[in-house]
Amino acid sequence: MDSPSLFVFSSPLLRYLAFDSTSFIFAMEPAGKRRFSPVWEHFELISPQKVKCLVCSKVLSYNNNTSTMLRHYRVLHGNEETNQVEPGSAEKVDLAELLVDMVIEDSQPFSLVDGSGFKKLMKALAPSYVLPTRQTLKAMVEKRYKETKDKTKAIVAKASACSLTSDMWTSINTDAYLAVTCHFIDETTSLQSVVLGVQHFPEAHTAANMAFMKTSLMSEWGISDKVTCLVTDGAANMGACARELHMRHTICVAHTLNLLVKKALDQCPELFHIRANCRKIVGYFKSSTTAKERLTQMQVQMGLPVLKLLQEVETRWNSTYLMLQRIYTLREPVGAALAGLRTDLTPLSAEQYRIIADCLKVLEPFNYATIELSEEKKVSGSKVIPLLSMLHHSLEEEEIRQLQTPESTSMVEFLQRQLREKLNQLQSMSIMFLATLLDPRFKKVGFFSPSKAAEAEKRLTMECAAIMSRTASSTSSSLSSPSSSSSEPSQSVGGSKLWHHFDASVHQARTTNVTANATVEVQKYLGAPNIPRVESPLQYWESQKYTLPTLYKLAVSYLCTPASSVPCERVFSKAGEILCKKRNRLSPKTLEKILFLNKNE
């Protein structure tokens, strides 16, 4: 056989070196690309349509462009210089980041990039952009998670004190999850909320198991010695978990109000019967298209805005309030619609509507209180005592006293008893009464009992004096000479017995001065006028940071406590959107990362 013939092509992409009758031998060199794309420094062309990463040895497909290589290297190996390697690459980087944002913010699945409609949209908007695979998109999300977690940890590490909320959730796959959120006041005196974790919890829901997981989270985030309070629902295992962790524990006030009002509604037989009838009526209009259309026609004919009936939800008392409020508002069109329909349902009587109207007057302030105490981005823990006090006062107003129906009168008496009991409990909890006293909107005026306000003032003065004493001790020890810290300091200046009385007198004078200084600072704060209720207490403390330095430290510690565990419930609401029927195979680890990014970015 003749020796192989040699042919050389002038193509910048292919240099054909040699062939014989049975095979091709290729040596492909991207000569043109090498001049413009530094990404080739990290990849090797191993076949006409394959390249190998020189860092991790992963083989990628190659189609005469470097988009896949660029994306792989940026996501997995993070070289900043590859973010600007090609004309138009900055646009590609932005699109990749926006795609990750879309998955996180809109709860989109990774398979989004495989959808034909989405591909058509992207081709029309950015023809040159090569969509990543779902695996690459997941890697991009995981990289974002690591970056965001590191940044968030750095922010949390600067907090001097924080409070936690915690709750449990069961997914559609019957998997249990434990969520923990952290709330603190940062260096700019702004309230911050962070999700520490939403972790899969396959173990038994015992206090010991929950305490172990929370201890691990606090250790990971470096806040083990900074937590001032744990807020949970009223479940027994949650309370036992707080005792296991030796933490101050408060029960979510939203849950407390929920239980209180539900008991008030259930203890009246006639009202229980009315609610049952309302649920049947609402269910009928929601399940029958004919009835729904009939109700709409009646509202239009009567010149009323078209509204839908609302159904009661067992776990939320204010859904009962909203159901009764809506059915009372639509009493005339509902009655007219039922009269023209073939149904066994009996419309509510005039007397029953009168009972509903009276109950709505009683419960309206409780609805407003539940909404206000569920705020996450505002100081709320300090509102608990004043708000419950205002609820108690609302039940003593003339309008409520004039209610005539026995059902409403019985409800008012029950709620008054329960509120007095809860207020006595809360006004005895240091985390609550100190937060109220340190809120410049409320101070001593926010307390239900003047005697409890006086006790809170004494406790605040003691806490203030303790901080001043620690500060003075640390300052004196730092200024003392090395010889003064020796094992026998007194003997070097004349013997301990000789100077014992003098040293004791100096210590007593120092203690007296610290207490006096603390009293002066507390009285200066309490003597100033309360700021308007609609103003921010944190802005006040930012302005008083140097005027009332010790009280500022206490305010940062106590005003970060939320009134409820609603922040955790909002996390689980988002978890329910993400872990749906279409995404029921999402792993717990991936779910945690997406939720972390959704809530913390």
Side-chain angles (χ1 to χ4, degrees):
M1 179 181 291
D2 296 334
S3 61
S5 300
L6 182 65
F7 294 87
V8 177
F9 287 76
S10 60
S11 169
L13 294 176
L14 298 177
R15 291 184 180 173
Y16 180 55
L17 299 180
F19 73 94
D20 58 22
S21 58
T22 58
S23 63
F24 290 98
I25 301 174
F26 287 99
M28 301 176 62
E29 177 183 332
K33 292 286 183 183
R34 186 179 297 276
R35 289 195 297 269
F36 301 106
S37 181
V39 76
W40 281 106
E41 296 175 5
H42 311 288
F43 288 88
E44 175 187 5
L45 192 65
I46 59 176
S47 76
Q49 295 182 332
K50 297 288 182 182
V51 291
K52 184 174 75 172
C53 176
L54 298 177
V55 179
C56 64
S57 301
K58 185 175 179 63
V59 176
L60 306 174
S61 60
Y62 175 69
N63 191 25
N64 291 336
N65 68 68
T66 60
S67 297
T68 303
M69 299 151 61
L70 172 64
R71 185 182 299 109
H72 168 88
Y73 197 82
R74 187 183 67 250
V75 171
L76 298 181
H77 309 304
N79 191 341
E80 292 297 330
E81 69 183 36
T82 59
N83 285 340
Q84 300 176 350
V85 294
E86 291 185 305
S89 64
E91 177 188 358
K92 295 178 183 179
V93 172
D94 291 341
L95 286 174
E97 294 300 320
L98 290 172
L99 185 58
V100 173
D101 290 341
M102 183 178 179
V103 169
I104 295 167
E105 295 173 16
D106 298 341
S107 306
Q108 294 295 331
F110 298 130
S111 59
L112 170 75
V113 293
D114 295 334
S116 58
F118 184 72
K119 288 180 177 180
K120 290 177 183 177
L121 175 65
M122 291 303 298
K123 187 174 183 180
L125 295 176
S128 62
Y129 179 66
V130 179
L131 279 171
T133 63
R134 70 171 74 182
Q135 291 82 5
T136 303
L137 181 58
K138 182 179 178 180
M140 293 163 70
V141 170
E142 290 176 348
K143 182 186 178 185
R144 175 82 69 86
Y145 168 75
K146 293 176 183 177
E147 294 171 350
T148 304
K149 191 169 184 178
D150 289 341
K151 292 178 183 177
T152 309
K153 279 185 176 181
I155 295 171
V156 173
K158 296 178 182 178
S160 58
C162 63
S163 293
L164 304 180
T165 71
S166 180
D167 204 357
M168 297 289 295
W169 175 69
T170 304
S171 70
I172 59 172
N173 297 329
T174 63
D175 291 326
Y177 290 84
L178 176 68
V180 179
T181 67
C182 177
H183 308 266
F184 59 94
I185 296 172
D186 64 15
E187 295 173 314
T188 62
T189 323
S190 300
L191 186 63
Q192 302 291 341
S193 297
V194 170
V195 175
L196 298 186
V198 184
Q199 298 193 349
H200 187 217
F201 199 84
E203 298 87 2
H205 298 178
T206 62
N209 288 337
M210 288 191 291
F212 177 78
M213 183 168 284
K214 290 174 186 177
T215 301
S216 300
L217 268 177
M218 289 188 291
S219 177
E220 180 187 356
W221 284 81
I223 58 172
S224 300
D225 57 344
K226 297 180 180 181
V227 179
T228 59
C229 184
L230 174 64
V231 184
T232 68
D233 59 22
N237 58 350
M238 288 292 184
C241 174
R243 291 191 293 273
E244 186 94 8
L245 293 168
H246 304 290
M247 283 185 182
R248 285 170 170 164
H249 176 236
T250 64
I251 296 176
C252 167
V253 180
H255 283 85
T256 301
L257 283 178
N258 182 58
L259 293 173
L260 189 149
V261 177
K262 281 175 68 67
K263 286 181 181 179
L265 291 168
D266 293 340
Q267 58 93 33
C268 178
E270 179 60 24
L271 193 54
F272 183 85
H273 178 66
I274 291 173
R275 288 167 55 206
N277 280 353
C278 289
R279 286 194 296 269
K280 290 179 182 178
I281 291 172
V282 175
Y284 173 66
F285 279 101
K286 284 188 171 293
S287 61
S288 170
T289 54
T290 303
K292 178 184 175 182
E293 291 297 325
R294 183 67 175 170
L295 179 59
T296 302
Q297 291 173 7
M298 290 297 102
Q299 293 181 75
V300 172
Q301 290 176 13
M302 294 179 182
L304 300 173
V306 177
L307 300 173
K308 295 180 180 179
L309 294 175
L310 302 175
Q311 187 59 282
E312 181 183 48
V313 178
E314 182 64 26
T315 55
R316 291 187 292 113
W317 86 263
N318 54 343
S319 67
T320 303
Y321 172 81
L322 296 173
M323 178 187 73
L324 295 175
Q325 183 187 53
R326 182 58 58 85
I327 207 165
Y328 182 79
T329 302
L330 300 179
R331 58 191 181 280
E332 292 181 0
V334 166
L338 286 174
L341 293 167
R342 294 181 179 179
T343 176
D344 296 333
L345 290 175
T346 305
L348 298 175
S349 65
E351 178 63 21
Q352 288 176 323
Y353 275 123
R354 195 159 70 91
I355 294 172
I356 291 175
D358 284 355
C359 290
L360 289 175
K361 290 179 183 178
V362 175
L363 296 178
E364 184 178 18
F366 287 83
N367 182 53
Y368 289 141
T370 301
I371 294 171
E372 191 164 348
L373 287 173
S374 299
E375 290 181 327
E376 184 177 354
K377 296 184 178 180
K378 295 182 180 179
V379 172
S380 59
S382 60
K383 284 184 181 179
V384 174
I385 293 174
L387 206 56
L388 293 187
S389 300
M390 293 304 101
L391 285 176
H392 190 277
H393 289 308
S394 72
L395 296 175
E396 297 179 340
E397 292 181 354
E398 189 65 27
E399 182 183 7
I400 302 300
R401 288 179 179 178
Q402 292 177 352
L403 298 177
Q404 299 298 321
T405 57
E407 293 78 12
S408 60
T409 304
S410 173
M411 180 184 293
V412 168
E413 293 174 355
F414 180 85
L415 289 173
Q416 283 178 327
R417 290 195 304 270
Q418 292 293 315
L419 280 173
R420 279 195 295 267
E421 182 182 333
K422 295 298 179 186
L423 279 166
N424 286 332
Q425 293 176 0
L426 291 169
Q427 289 182 131
S428 301
M429 298 173 60
S430 61
I431 193 72
M432 285 296 175
F433 67 66
L434 287 175
T436 300
L437 197 60
L438 285 165
D439 192 319
R441 298 172 296 178
F442 306 124
K443 299 184 181 179
K444 295 171 71 173
V445 182
F447 286 80
F448 182 70
S449 166
S451 62
K452 293 292 185 181
E455 291 177 15
E457 182 182 348
K458 290 180 181 178
R459 177 63 181 272
L460 180 62
T461 304
M462 291 172 57
E463 296 250 355
C464 189
I467 292 179
M468 287 181 173
S469 180
R470 288 196 297 269
T471 304
S473 297
S474 62
T475 303
S476 61
S477 63
S478 64
L479 293 175
S480 62
S481 62
S483 60
S484 65
S485 61
S486 61
S487 59
E488 297 179 350
S490 300
Q491 293 181 5
S492 64
V493 292
S496 60
K497 292 183 179 180
L498 178 64
W499 292 98
H500 174 72
H501 180 72
F502 176 80
D503 291 342
S505 300
V506 171
H507 177 74
Q508 179 65 32
R510 182 183 299 167
T511 304
T512 303
N513 289 338
V514 166
T515 304
N517 291 339
T519 303
V520 169
E521 186 166 335
V522 170
Q523 291 304 317
K524 182 179 180 181
Y525 162 68
L526 294 177
N530 290 26
I531 66 173
R533 185 178 55 81
V534 294
E535 290 189 8
S536 168
L538 297 183
Q539 289 182 1
Y540 169 87
W541 281 114
E542 175 65 17
S543 67
Q544 299 295 319
K545 182 185 295 187
Y546 303 108
T547 307
L548 305 169
T550 310
L551 288 179
Y552 173 82
K553 294 177 182 177
L554 289 170
V556 168
S557 297
Y558 288 107
L559 292 182
C560 63
T561 303
S564 70
S565 59
V566 169
C568 274
E569 295 184 8
R570 291 190 175 124
V571 171
F572 289 142
S573 295
K574 178 57 67 173
E577 294 177 14
I578 297 172
L579 196 62
C580 55
K581 289 183 179 179
K582 288 187 176 181
R583 305 183 72 184
N584 59 7
R585 294 174 62 189
L586 199 66
S587 70
K589 285 290 184 184
T590 304
L591 175 64
E592 179 185 3
K593 292 172 182 176
I594 295 174
L595 283 171
F596 182 90
L597 290 169
N598 182 273
K599 293 297 180 179
N600 292 339
E601 277 202 321

